[in-house]
Amino acid sequence: MNSSKTYILKLYVAGNTPNSMRALNTLREILKKDFKGVYALKVIDVLKNPQLAEEDKILATPTLAKILPPPVRRIIGDLSDRERVLIGLDLLFEELCDEDFFSGPFNESSDQDKP
């Protein structure tokens, strides 16, 4: 993960429902393991702040919105599929790019190929 980025995330929940709590707990685990302090998370209870949900056009809960870095992404559901969440946050793609994915032995020239 590129540590120069700061992720700004908003999690919209509807009270303390099981889905809301599962989404919050799963997200906290992902942030602790994969984001290591380079994030800001705001949890918004749409029952207490319906105007915020309306302004951000939230139609279902729980919804995770990645505000920064662009592009804005939204993931709807209880976030139980960790890989889907990471893809939704563009994290898996960045991991592939950071690991010098294309520098393996198949891209290096070999003396055996030379005439």
Side-chain angles (χ1 to χ4, degrees), residues 54-71:
E54 186 175 330
E55 288 171 7
D56 292 339
K57 298 180 173 112
I58 300 301
L59 300 175
T61 59
T63 295
L64 174 64
K66 181 189 74 157
I67 308 304
L68 289 174

Side-chain angles (χ1 to χ4, degrees), residues 3-110:
S3 60
S4 63
K5 291 182 181 177
T6 299
Y7 285 76
I8 307 295
L9 306 169
K10 291 182 180 180
L11 178 64
Y12 298 87
V13 296
N16 293 328
T17 64
N19 276 347
S20 296
M21 298 312 297
R22 187 172 23 258
L24 183 57
N25 291 333
T26 302
L27 181 60
R28 284 184 175 154
E29 289 175 17
I30 291 171
L31 294 173
K32 182 178 178 181
K33 180 178 180 189
D34 296 307
F35 287 76
K36 298 179 179 141
V38 292
Y39 67 90
L41 172 65
K42 183 174 184 178
V43 179
I44 300 168
D45 186 344
V46 299
L47 299 177
K48 294 179 181 174
N49 299 298
Q51 75 282 359
L52 293 177
E54 186 175 330
E55 288 171 7
D56 292 339
K57 298 180 173 112
I58 300 301
L59 300 175
T61 59
T63 295
L64 174 64
K66 181 189 74 157
I67 308 304
L68 289 174
V72 173
R73 302 269 184 175
R74 291 183 182 178
I75 304 167
I76 299 171
D78 65 3
L79 309 178
S80 59
D81 186 341
R82 182 180 179 279
E83 186 172 334
R84 184 172 161 244
V85 173
L86 293 176
I87 290 171
L89 296 174
D90 293 330
L91 194 55
L92 284 181
F93 176 75
E94 290 179 6
E95 287 176 349
L96 289 175
C97 293
D98 288 346
E99 293 176 3
D100 203 15
F101 185 72
F102 298 105
S103 66
F106 298 109
N107 290 336
E108 295 177 351
S109 63
S110 166

